[in-house]
Amino acid sequence: MKHPAAKRNFGHIDIPLQRVHIELTNICEFDCVFCPKERMKRKPGRMDAALAKRLISEVGAESIADKVTFHVMGEPTLHPDLFEILAHAENEGVQVGLTTNGRSLGGEAGRKLLEFGLHQIDVSLQTPDEKSFALRKAKGITFEEYMGGILDFFTAYRKRWPLSRFKFRFLNTTRKPSSLKDSIGDLQVMASSDELRSTFGKWAAIIYDRLGADENSRTEAMKGISRLVWWKWNVIEVYPGVFFETYILSDWGHAFEGGGDIKPAWAGHCFGMRDHFAVLYNGDVTLCCIDFDGATAAGNVKDKTLKGVLSSPEVGKIVDGFKRMKLVHPYCKHCLGSSSLVSWALKPVITVIGLKALKPFFYNQSSVYPPEKTSIK
């Protein structure tokens, strides 16, 4: 996909964005307790393949984003036309990112995926051991089968497509929103720096065994892992093109709380329509990937182009508000709102400062593999 040298406007948004999320389906075979699936009011369904291909073509032709990512709710490998859609993206020269729970990678879907050199595959591993795997409420598969399928696929895919990026995402429950305490209980996942280092160390060792890493490189990598801390958002390159990421437990914009106790935010900062937006399986265009129920639907691409939807006056007001730290849409105010008066007063200031000025301090993107062998520059 070719991009212009400088930002330009596409409707009311500045492009290219980092990614456009396309939700191929909101159906998932897991019932994770940390996911708002059970609170989703949308009916289960799948995007029509023709619509998915038209969206991909428009993203590519207009250079709207660096890549299309199949993600929001649901498991994209369950879509019956996934590989037809991937072939279309390949023909259009559009880079694709696939976010998967990993359940299907050890089966026929994984074997078919080996035919496609995707830009990036994110495996939402989240629960890295047998105890925490209970959070997934998985049916018909044991943790050993789940882990084995993922690792066998990873090994085969890495051998065939060594330049594709592969990311394992791990859940971090060091901060538990009060609304999730009943569903999560006392079960913890990487809830301390020691646990994070231990988990990353074990999984890195597995990766190095699978890829045949030399002993000196392993030793240096393990030293880097031993210095990680839980309170940062860690994105660590543990091998060239292979990443581990800590995913901090979230309440999905207060999805697990009763709406009556949330005080709408008076200001705030959001990356919606600034580095991404999402298209749900029914064609609704939403502001961000956190909006799991389509509350911010700005229009529908079944009867309009993406540019037509993104050119609406309503989107213009929302985007202009984001640029001035002003929240226009009620859902955004609720998502960034607070349950206490003190938090309501301080949270907008903290999010603006934290996401802008302090991001380099709290966001740790680094490599623990020898520098001359990594892809991070």
Side-chain angles (χ1 to χ4, degrees):
M1 189 187 305
K2 296 181 180 180
H3 294 297
K7 286 273 188 179
R8 63 185 179 87
N9 293 114
F10 184 81
H12 292 291
I13 65 172
D14 298 326
I15 62 170
L17 303 177
Q18 290 183 12
R19 61 199 181 279
V20 172
H21 292 280
I22 295 180
E23 180 190 73
L24 294 183
T25 178
N26 66 344
I27 299 169
C28 183
E29 68 271 66
F30 283 176
D31 294 306
C32 304
V33 299
F34 46 81
C35 173
K37 173 184 174 181
E38 296 301 319
R39 289 156 176 81
M40 185 169 53
K41 298 176 183 178
R42 293 189 290 137
K43 295 179 179 179
R46 300 179 178 91
M47 181 176 285
D48 183 76
L51 176 59
K53 289 189 281 188
R54 176 164 67 81
L55 288 170
I56 289 168
S57 294
E58 188 174 2
V59 171
E62 299 289 349
S63 297
I64 297 172
D66 295 332
K67 65 180 177 181
V68 163
T69 298
F70 296 140
H71 178 52
V72 179
M73 295 293 286
E75 170 53 40
T77 60
L78 296 180
H79 195 288
D81 300 315
L82 170 63
F83 304 103
E84 176 186 334
I85 294 168
L86 287 177
H88 177 77
E90 193 173 73
N91 291 336
E92 294 286 295
V94 175
Q95 293 191 136
V96 170
L98 175 71
T99 299
T100 172
N101 62 30
R103 172 65 175 83
S104 300
L105 296 182
E108 182 64 19
R111 288 187 284 276
K112 289 183 177 180
L113 272 175
L114 291 176
E115 301 299 319
F116 297 91
L118 305 186
H119 173 68
Q120 182 167 322
I121 296 178
D122 286 18
V123 179
S124 293
L125 185 66
Q126 311 292 32
T127 50
D129 54 46
E130 188 170 7
K131 182 180 179 182
S132 60
F133 186 63
L135 287 168
R136 312 301 289 270
K137 294 186 178 181
K139 300 178 180 68
I141 188 171
T142 66
F143 176 70
E144 288 75 17
E145 292 169 336
Y146 174 67
M147 182 176 71
I150 290 172
L151 290 172
D152 287 347
F153 170 79
F154 164 75
T155 306
Y157 196 87
R158 176 75 187 187
K159 182 178 180 179
R160 184 156 189 177
W161 304 103
L163 298 182
S164 294
R165 293 161 61 95
F166 211 101
K167 182 185 289 184
F168 294 92
R169 301 178 71 183
F170 297 81
L171 188 64
N172 181 328
T173 64
T174 49
R175 183 187 70 84
K176 292 184 183 179
S178 59
S179 57
L180 281 172
K181 286 183 179 177
D182 290 339
S183 57
I184 297 293
D186 293 329
L187 192 57
Q188 298 180 333
V189 185
M190 298 204 317
S192 68
S193 293
D194 286 342
E195 193 174 351
L196 184 153
R197 296 164 186 166
S198 175
T199 300
F200 274 20
K202 290 175 182 177
W203 276 85
I206 294 172
I207 297 300
Y208 298 150
D209 286 344
R210 293 273 178 156
L211 299 180
D214 65 84
E215 196 60 37
N216 288 337
S217 297
R218 290 177 185 234
T219 301
E220 289 303 310
M222 292 302 178
K223 288 179 182 178
I225 289 174
S226 71
R227 293 190 289 267
L228 299 178
V229 291
W230 64 265
W231 48 266
K232 287 193 176 186
W233 175 10
N234 293 290
V235 179
I236 307 299
E237 189 173 26
V238 297
Y239 192 85
V242 182
F243 299 81
F244 290 173
E245 178 178 14
T246 51
Y247 183 82
I248 298 174
L249 182 65
S250 169
D251 63 1
W252 289 75
H254 306 293
F256 294 85
E257 296 184 53
D261 295 331
I262 303 300
K263 298 174 177 59
W266 54 272
H269 182 81
C270 179
F271 293 115
M273 291 288 178
R274 306 186 75 175
D275 69 11
H276 75 282
F277 63 84
V279 185
L280 304 183
Y281 81 84
N282 69 341
D284 282 345
V285 178
T286 61
L287 303 183
C288 72
C289 58
I290 295 295
D291 180 9
F292 66 94
D293 227 0
T296 64
N300 192 286
V301 289
K302 284 186 177 179
D303 55 9
K304 290 183 179 180
T305 62
L306 270 176
K307 188 168 188 177
V309 173
L310 297 173
S311 298
S312 71
E314 292 76 13
V315 171
K317 292 176 183 177
I318 291 170
V319 171
D320 183 60
F322 282 155
K323 292 178 179 179
R324 296 182 289 113
M325 309 305 166
K326 180 181 178 181
L327 304 178
V328 174
H329 199 284
Y331 180 86
C332 302
K333 294 179 181 179
H334 178 81
C335 179
L336 295 174
S338 305
S339 56
S340 73
L341 186 60
V342 173
S343 178
W344 173 85
L346 297 178
K347 186 176 180 179
V349 178
I350 294 173
T351 57
V352 170
I353 295 175
L355 289 174
K356 298 190 78 174
L358 297 181
K359 183 179 178 180
F361 181 71
F362 289 105
Y363 178 76
N364 175 31
Q365 177 171 317
S366 61
S367 174
V368 295
Y369 214 68
E372 68 276 6
K373 298 182 180 182
T374 66
S375 62
I376 289 182
K377 305 298 182 186

